[in-house]
């Protein structure tokens, strides 16, 4: 049965403010598969009789943008790979890890929501094509609204492309209802379009809308932020081409890697964005931020992830020792937790202070034993306030820092905050370029019109934190460089919904099967004894590179067969 929702109508005063747009797209999404006359308007066309109503309809398409503030039953997607453990065993995120998901028991199933987003975008685009705003040309605000609305269809086309991308990276070949406004019955007769053709469509759409969209909305009436820009369109194009060239979807093809490198270079050549060493990745004024989803003010993410020792804290997503091992010392040396405790070749490393002088990104990502959080020094040792055997304490010995807003108060009075989920930022563009250039030419070779090597691009991301550059001797081959790049992406984008998908497109799911390790900390007089422990075993099967098409969809549409390999 198809659910009907009411289209929410707001006033001009409510939509003209860029700040209000921030909270608007954090609202619960509406389903536009049917028009509901309970809105007070007799037809969908009437929603588009006034500019402000049309804009609100577009804003509602934005609400289908994804985020990962605990999107899998409270757990972040990193809890379904080797970077984190979810402390509560009754969460569905553990179904990913024990291998019990299937076409009947799906997890992280965004099939319906993304297709609803596509239909909402299609409906908006078709309605705008039919809309006639001429009747308002004598209105004093007419020119302002014309200036704003010139980008709306391009924004909707981008959003539709992003929803398609989310579907394709989950399911591979998918139906692509984009050439007209399909009825539900029509959609249920569509066959699948190949992954490569879906990516080609996204690339074409993004290139076209990028030629229309502005670099920013600072010079556009209303000065709204948070909307789709030229940079966002080019960033999705870059990501789509990188995926199209990746091992899961393609045999090694130099031209595909060259195309991906060119797409990243197109963004670099805009000279709009730059790398910034900031405390948080989602600073809305950052020169690095390309596109984000803005959420309503709340305390929900903090309630899920504040340590259990804090009033109303629930621990939730806990970084693994596997991830912590990826963070080097600030001098560029590895630190590994062994049977004998922490070890490193760094001459300045102190095994009794293993979290001192690490890669600065470590402190932006992980809360560790001895860290100061909300003016409290965390004690993650056995018997400590944040340690086992307290029920709900982290089993890995670490707590989440990234995206957790320390300014939020949960007790005695809740003090919420606006949350923003980063969808694209400039560091990804540079690492996309580095990966593509390495696969096309090698770590330090150039070709075509390229003027920057893969190694130079990678080191830009790494050295902006004061980390030492990777030198030529460390990357003598493409394979050696790829290892360095994978590590760099891991520490740079931990808990930003990247590695979950990267491991799949790289066909490195076996990393997940290694399971989750943690650290056991025991105080012994004035010293601490650190022991590596196994926290959770993980099940991996290569069929998991793609999600199963939900059985509910297969029953409605026989053209979705064959089911993705291994899921029958």
């Amino acid at each position: 049965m198809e659910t009907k929702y009411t289209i929410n109508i707001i006033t001009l005063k409510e939509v003209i403010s860029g700040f209000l747009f921030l909270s608007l797209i954090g609202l619960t999404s509406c389903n536009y598969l049917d028009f509901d006359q309970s809105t007070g308007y007799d037809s969908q066309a009437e929603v588009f009789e006034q500019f402000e109503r049309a804009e609100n309809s577009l804003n509602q398409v934005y609400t289908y943008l994804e985020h990962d503030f605990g999107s899998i039953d409270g757990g972040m997607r990193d809890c379904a790979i080797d970077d984190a453990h979810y402390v509560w065993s009754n969460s569905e995120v553990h179904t990913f890890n024990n291998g019990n998901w299937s076409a009947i028991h799906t997890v992280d199933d965004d099939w319906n929501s993304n297709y609803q987003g596509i239909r909402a975008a299609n409906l908006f685009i078709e309605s705008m094509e039919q809309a006639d705003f001429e009747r308002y040309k004598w209105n004093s605000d007419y020119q302002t609204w014309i200036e704003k609305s010139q980008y709306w269809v391009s924004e909707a086309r981008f959003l539709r492309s992003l929803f398609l991308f989310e579907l394709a990276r989950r399911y591979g070949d998918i139906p692509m209802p984009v050439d007209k406004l399909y009825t539900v019955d029509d959609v249920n007769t569509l066959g699948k379009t190949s992954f490569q053709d879906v990516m080609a469509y996204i690339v074409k759409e993004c290139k076209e809308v990028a030629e229309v969209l502005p670099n920013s909305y600072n010079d556009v009436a209303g000065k709204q932020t948070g909307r789709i820009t030229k940079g966002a369109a080019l960033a999705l194009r870059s990501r789509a081409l990188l995926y199209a060239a990746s091992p899961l979807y393609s045999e090694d093809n130099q031209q595909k890697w060259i195309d991906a490198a060119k797409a990243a270079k197109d963004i670099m050549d805009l000279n709009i964005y730059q790398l910034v060493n900031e405390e948080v990745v989602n600073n809305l004024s950052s020169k690095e931020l390309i596109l984000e989803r803005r959420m309503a003010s709340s305390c929900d993410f903090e309630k899920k992830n504040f340590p259990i020792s804090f009033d109303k804290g629930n621990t939730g997503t806990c970084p693994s020792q596997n991830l912590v091992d990826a963070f080097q010392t600030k001098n560029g040396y590895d630190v590994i937790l062994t049977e004998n405790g922490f070890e490193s070749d760094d001459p300045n490393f102190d095994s009794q202070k293993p979290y001192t002088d690490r890669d600065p990104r470590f402190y932006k990502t992980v809360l560790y034993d001895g860290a100061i959080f909300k003016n409290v020094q965390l004690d993650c040792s056995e018997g400590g306030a944040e340690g086992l055997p307290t029920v709900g304490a982290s089993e890995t010995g670490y707590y989440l820092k990234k995206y957790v807003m320390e300014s939020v108060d949960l007790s005695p009075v809740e003090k919420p905050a606006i949350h923003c989920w980063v969808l694209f930022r400039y560091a990804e563009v540079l690492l996309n370029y580095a990966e593509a250039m390495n696969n096309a030419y090698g770590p330090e070779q150039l070709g075509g019109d390229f003027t920057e090597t893969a190694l130079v691009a990678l080191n830009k991301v790494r050295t902006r934190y004061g980390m030492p550059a990777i030198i030529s001797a460390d990357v003598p081959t493409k394979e050696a460089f790829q290892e360095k790049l994978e590590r760099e992406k891991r520490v740079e984008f931990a808990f930003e919904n990247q590695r979950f998908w990267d491991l799949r497109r790289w066909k490195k799911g076996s990393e997940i099967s290694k399971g989750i390790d943690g650290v056991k900390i025991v105080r012994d007089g004035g010293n601490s004894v650190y022991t590596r422990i196994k926290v959770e075993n993980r099940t991996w099967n290569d069929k998991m590179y793609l999600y199963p098409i939900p059985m509910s969809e297969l029953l409605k549409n026989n053209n979705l067969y064959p089911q993705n390999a291994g899921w029958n």
Side-chain angles (χ1 to χ4, degrees):
M1 178 180 295
E2 186 177 338
T3 304
K4 294 184 179 181
Y5 293 83
T6 299
I7 296 179
N8 297 320
I9 305 299
I10 62 176
T11 67
L12 172 59
K13 288 182 179 179
E14 290 174 313
V15 299
I16 193 113
S17 164
F19 179 79
L20 285 179
F21 179 72
L22 179 154
S23 58
L24 179 63
I25 62 174
L27 300 176
T28 302
S29 59
C30 297
N31 183 349
Y32 285 87
L33 297 181
D34 287 297
F35 183 80
D36 189 337
Q37 290 187 349
S38 65
T39 60
Y41 296 91
D42 293 331
S43 69
Q44 176 65 33
E46 287 195 51
V47 176
F48 288 85
E49 282 190 358
Q50 296 184 25
F51 286 104
E52 61 264 33
R53 294 173 188 156
E55 185 179 40
N56 187 44
S57 294
L58 174 61
N59 290 345
Q60 293 293 346
V61 183
Y62 273 84
T63 66
Y64 290 94
L65 285 171
E66 77 158 13
H67 67 83
D68 191 17
F69 287 121
S71 60
I72 308 178
D73 198 17
M76 303 179 81
R77 286 194 185 88
D78 283 40
C79 294
I81 56 169
D82 53 350
D83 276 357
H85 168 73
Y86 194 70
V87 73
W88 302 106
S89 61
N90 60 349
S91 169
E92 272 287 87
V93 74
H94 291 291
T95 305
F96 258 122
N97 302 327
N98 60 30
N100 287 333
W101 49 307
S102 67
I104 296 173
H105 185 179
T106 57
V107 185
D108 192 33
D109 179 6
D110 284 345
W111 182 281
N112 285 331
S113 64
N114 278 301
Y115 276 115
Q116 288 171 3
I118 290 169
R119 181 168 173 81
N122 285 342
L123 180 55
F124 177 82
I125 292 167
E126 182 175 286
S127 298
M128 283 295 291
E129 290 172 350
Q130 299 172 0
D132 181 9
F133 296 132
E134 279 291 305
R135 61 186 289 189
Y136 299 105
K137 67 181 179 180
W138 304 116
N139 187 293
S140 60
D141 293 327
Y142 179 75
Q143 291 302 322
T144 295
W145 281 106
I146 289 295
E147 181 184 349
K148 293 177 67 175
S149 64
Q150 65 181 310
Y151 303 116
W152 289 352
V153 169
S154 294
E155 292 175 58
R157 288 172 64 185
F158 169 91
L159 293 167
R160 179 175 63 188
S161 293
L162 185 54
F163 303 146
L164 284 169
F165 179 84
E166 291 299 332
L167 285 161
R169 73 173 172 179
R170 284 169 171 79
Y171 303 101
D173 302 346
I174 57 168
M176 202 167 68
V178 296
D179 57 334
K180 66 176 183 177
L181 183 61
Y182 287 84
T183 67
V184 174
D185 289 339
D186 289 338
V187 169
N188 288 336
T189 65
L190 288 177
K192 293 190 286 188
T193 300
S194 73
F195 178 89
Q196 290 292 344
D197 286 345
V198 174
M199 292 301 110
Y201 174 84
I202 292 170
V203 168
K204 179 176 179 292
E205 282 286 280
C206 287
K207 186 175 189 299
E208 290 180 3
V209 302
E211 294 172 356
V212 176
L213 291 165
N215 290 339
S216 78
Y217 288 83
N218 290 334
D219 297 323
V220 179
K223 299 191 177 198
Q224 292 176 322
T225 59
R227 307 203 86 104
I228 308 304
T229 61
K230 179 191 296 290
L234 293 179
L236 176 55
R237 178 171 173 261
S238 168
R239 188 183 288 178
L241 284 167
L242 190 77
Y243 272 63
S246 296
L248 180 61
Y249 306 107
S250 176
E251 298 295 330
D252 191 23
N253 183 312
Q254 185 187 38
Q255 188 57 52
K256 286 186 176 181
W257 290 116
I258 291 172
D259 291 343
K262 286 180 178 177
K265 185 175 183 296
D266 285 344
I267 306 169
M268 296 156 65
D269 288 345
L270 291 176
N271 292 316
I272 297 174
Y273 307 104
Q274 63 188 50
L275 295 171
V276 184
N277 185 2
E278 294 183 302
E279 184 61 30
V280 296
V281 298
N282 56 349
N283 178 1
L284 292 178
S285 63
S286 174
K287 296 283 189 181
E288 184 173 340
L289 188 61
I290 298 176
L291 180 65
E292 73 289 344
R293 171 165 181 180
R294 304 186 182 188
M295 312 293 290
S297 181
S298 77
C299 302
D300 291 348
F301 191 64
E302 285 65 36
K303 287 180 180 178
K304 292 174 184 174
N305 292 291
F306 271 16
I308 196 72
S309 57
F310 288 74
D311 192 16
K312 298 184 182 180
N314 201 46
T315 300
T317 294
C318 300
S320 65
Q321 185 63 51
N322 317 51
L323 172 63
V324 172
D325 287 345
F327 291 94
Q328 297 177 310
T329 69
K330 69 177 184 179
N331 295 320
Y333 291 87
D334 292 348
V335 179
I336 303 296
L337 178 57
T338 70
E339 295 177 352
N340 301 315
F342 283 99
E343 297 180 354
S344 176
D345 291 334
D346 189 329
N348 296 321
F349 181 75
D350 183 346
S351 61
Q352 278 296 300
K353 299 178 181 178
Y355 308 119
T356 301
D357 292 335
R358 300 289 284 269
D359 183 330
R361 289 170 289 191
F362 173 72
Y363 306 107
K364 304 172 192 290
T365 306
V366 178
L367 290 173
Y368 53 92
D369 183 54
I372 304 298
F373 182 70
K374 294 187 76 67
N375 298 316
V376 174
Q377 185 174 40
L378 303 186
D379 183 354
C380 301
S381 67
E382 279 197 341
E386 288 73 44
L388 295 171
T390 300
V391 175
S394 171
E395 296 175 51
T396 66
Y398 303 101
Y399 291 86
L400 182 66
K401 175 69 179 294
K402 187 174 281 189
Y403 277 122
V404 172
M405 298 184 69
E406 198 168 350
S407 61
V408 166
D409 288 335
L410 302 181
S411 180
V413 178
E414 291 187 358
K415 179 184 176 183
I418 291 169
H419 292 66
C420 300
W421 180 261
V422 174
L423 295 167
F424 298 96
R425 59 185 178 94
Y426 189 51
E428 179 191 348
V429 174
L430 288 173
L431 293 183
N432 286 355
Y433 178 85
E435 181 179 350
M437 283 293 290
N438 177 58
N439 280 282
Y441 301 110
E444 296 189 273
Q445 289 72 48
L446 294 172
D449 297 327
F450 297 108
T451 57
E452 190 168 293
T453 67
L455 185 58
V456 167
L458 185 149
N459 276 329
K460 282 184 176 179
V461 176
R462 180 176 170 83
T463 59
R464 57 103 170 244
Y465 299 104
M467 292 295 291
I470 294 171
I471 61 175
S472 300
D474 294 332
V475 287
T477 64
K478 288 184 179 182
E479 292 74 21
F481 182 89
Q482 180 68 20
E483 288 185 13
K484 298 293 185 183
L485 179 130
E486 289 177 13
R487 180 178 193 153
E488 202 65 28
K489 283 208 73 175
R490 186 177 194 176
V491 300
E492 178 70 29
F493 294 106
F495 304 105
E496 292 187 54
N497 195 29
Q498 294 263 7
R499 185 170 172 81
F500 181 93
W501 304 109
D502 282 342
L503 288 176
R504 284 167 163 78
R505 69 180 180 85
W506 290 329
K507 297 184 71 174
K508 294 196 172 182
S510 59
E511 293 295 310
I512 298 172
S513 66
K514 295 177 181 178
I516 294 297
D517 292 346
V519 59
K520 177 181 177 181
I521 307 172
V522 177
R523 306 290 187 222
D524 182 11
N527 294 325
S528 297
V529 177
Y530 301 95
T531 306
R532 193 180 195 97
I533 58 172
K534 179 66 67 175
V535 173
E536 182 183 7
N537 293 316
R538 293 283 172 88
T539 298
W540 175 262
N541 186 295
D542 284 354
K543 69 180 182 180
M544 297 174 185
Y545 284 126
L546 293 177
Y547 287 14
I549 298 171
M551 182 58 66
S552 58
E553 300 302 324
L554 290 168
L555 292 173
K556 289 186 290 187
N557 184 358
N558 288 330
N559 292 321
L560 295 179
Y561 284 99
Q563 172 64 280
N564 284 333
W567 290 107
N568 291 319

